[in-house]
Amino acid sequence: GWGYGNNYSPSIAAAPGAPAEGVYYTAVGSNASPYVTVYAQDAEVYTKIADPAVLPTSTAFALAWNPDASILATVNSSTPFITAYSRSGSTLTKIADPATLPTGNGRGTDFNDDGSLLAVAHLTTPYLSVYSVSGTTLTKNADPATLPVGNGYSAAFSADGSMLAVGHSTTPYVTVYTVSGTTLTKIANPATLPTGAAYGVGFNGDGTQLSVAHSTTPFVTNYSISGTTLTKIADPAVLPTGGGQKSAFSDDGAFLAVGHATLPFLTIYSVSGSTFTKLPDPGTLPPNRPSALAWSPGGGDYLTVTYPGGDNVTVYARSGTTFTKQT
């Protein structure tokens, strides 16, 4: 069955910027072959491209595009735990597995701002593996001196690549590193920690805020960032209604989407400074708890949600603060 905390759930990654040909690409992972499906998006039209000749071997828990959408990484539930593809036009070609693989089930992944680093959060120590990317070669870097302390569930770089956040299963639930070249240095834990397992982490566009979706009330914890200091922001007046699954800012930081385990399954906030104001729920809600969220580049005109079972992708178009399900 569908497990809690993004077990056996579809995942999604929207290309962070339009490639030169002017088409966005959205990748959706699932727990059944072909495990990853990629769509070319032109305005509101999504067209499936051909599956790669070599498919991932198992459930794609998380996916990430590099900045120019020339490489797609998927992290999976069985060895090699990571499967990456180069993209040329609408053709995906599997690249060689890294010589040193993640040590367990991959749960979260992200590229840094220039595509030179790829982070993988995974089960089994060291819980985090970071790779240098040169062309289509992935080379594992030395582990940070201080590792996450439990199963890695989520990973996100700040937009400028200067920080990496990892959500994990045990306290302090989130571990944040500064990034200098290939060196990761853990910063001090925030004085107020998330209250449960962190299934989703995400920075806003200018790196001044970090959002953590977690399993225990208040279900989302947001931090302001000043230098290397994380300070908890006051909880929103209206909280998500259940265990936080994913948390994602639009790239301009004006909106925060939180996927959670109970109705309405999706809570969207407008963000003004350190104030998070819940927006009206979309007229059509996701039918299940979201397992992944992706905003379109350039201001969050579209929010794509994936979730377990059946027709497992919903796309919302945003007009002002109104989100409307696309047909």
Side-chain angles (χ1 to χ4, degrees):
W2 300 103
Y4 184 68
N6 207 26
N7 290 325
Y8 299 103
S9 299
S11 47
I12 191 167
E21 60 265 33
V23 176
Y24 296 101
Y25 289 86
T26 297
V28 178
S30 70
N31 71 327
S33 184
Y35 301 115
V36 63
T37 302
V38 178
Y39 299 89
Q41 179 191 357
D42 186 357
E44 295 180 5
V45 178
Y46 289 76
T47 304
K48 181 185 179 300
I49 69 173
D51 294 334
V54 180
L55 300 175
T57 58
S58 55
T59 298
F61 279 115
L63 310 98
W65 293 98
N66 71 344
D68 65 0
S70 63
I71 296 179
L72 172 67
T74 77
V75 295
N76 315 105
S77 59
S78 64
T79 189
F81 302 118
I82 182 171
T83 305
Y85 298 90
S86 61
R87 183 192 62 83
S88 177
S90 59
T91 300
L92 298 177
T93 303
K94 183 184 180 299
I95 66 178
D97 295 334
T100 303
L101 300 174
T103 55
N105 185 315
R107 291 301 183 91
T109 190
D110 197 24
F111 284 95
N112 69 343
D113 60 317
D114 64 4
S116 63
L117 296 176
L118 175 67
V120 179
H122 52 82
L123 311 188
T124 310
T125 187
Y127 306 118
L128 171 69
S129 296
V130 179
Y131 295 88
S132 289
V133 183
S134 178
T136 58
T137 300
L138 305 181
T139 304
K140 185 180 181 300
N141 296 329
D143 294 332
T146 304
L147 299 174
V149 294
N151 289 331
Y153 289 142
S154 51
F157 284 99
S158 59
D160 65 0
S162 65
M163 286 188 170
L164 172 67
V166 181
H168 43 86
S169 60
T170 54
T171 188
Y173 301 117
V174 64
T175 299
V176 181
Y177 300 93
T178 57
V179 182
S180 178
T182 60
T183 300
L184 304 183
T185 303
K186 182 185 179 300
I187 67 174
N189 295 330
T192 304
L193 300 174
T195 57
Y199 295 121
V201 292
F203 290 93
N204 69 348
D206 64 6
T208 59
Q209 293 179 346
L210 171 68
S211 183
V212 181
H214 50 83
S215 60
T216 306
T217 188
F219 306 121
V220 63
T221 300
N222 301 313
Y223 297 93
S224 63
I225 304 171
S226 177
T228 59
T229 300
L230 303 181
T231 303
K232 183 181 181 298
I233 296 170
D235 293 334
V238 181
L239 298 175
T241 57
Q245 301 290 289
K246 294 297 172 185
S247 187
F249 285 98
S250 58
D251 60 0
D252 61 1
F255 299 96
L256 174 71
V258 181
H260 45 87
T262 55
L263 278 168
F265 298 121
L266 176 66
T267 298
I268 304 173
Y269 298 93
S270 63
V271 183
S272 177
S274 59
T275 301
F276 292 73
T277 303
K278 183 185 180 301
L279 300 178
D281 295 332
T284 303
L285 299 175
N288 204 336
R289 60 171 183 79
S291 53
L293 306 167
W295 293 91
S296 62
D301 290 335
Y302 300 93
L303 174 64
T304 303
V305 183
T306 62
Y307 40 83
D311 180 14
N312 59 15
V313 180
T314 298
V315 180
Y316 295 96
R318 181 184 64 81
S319 176
T321 58
T322 300
F323 290 79
T324 304
K325 180 181 182 294
Q326 300 302 100
T327 56

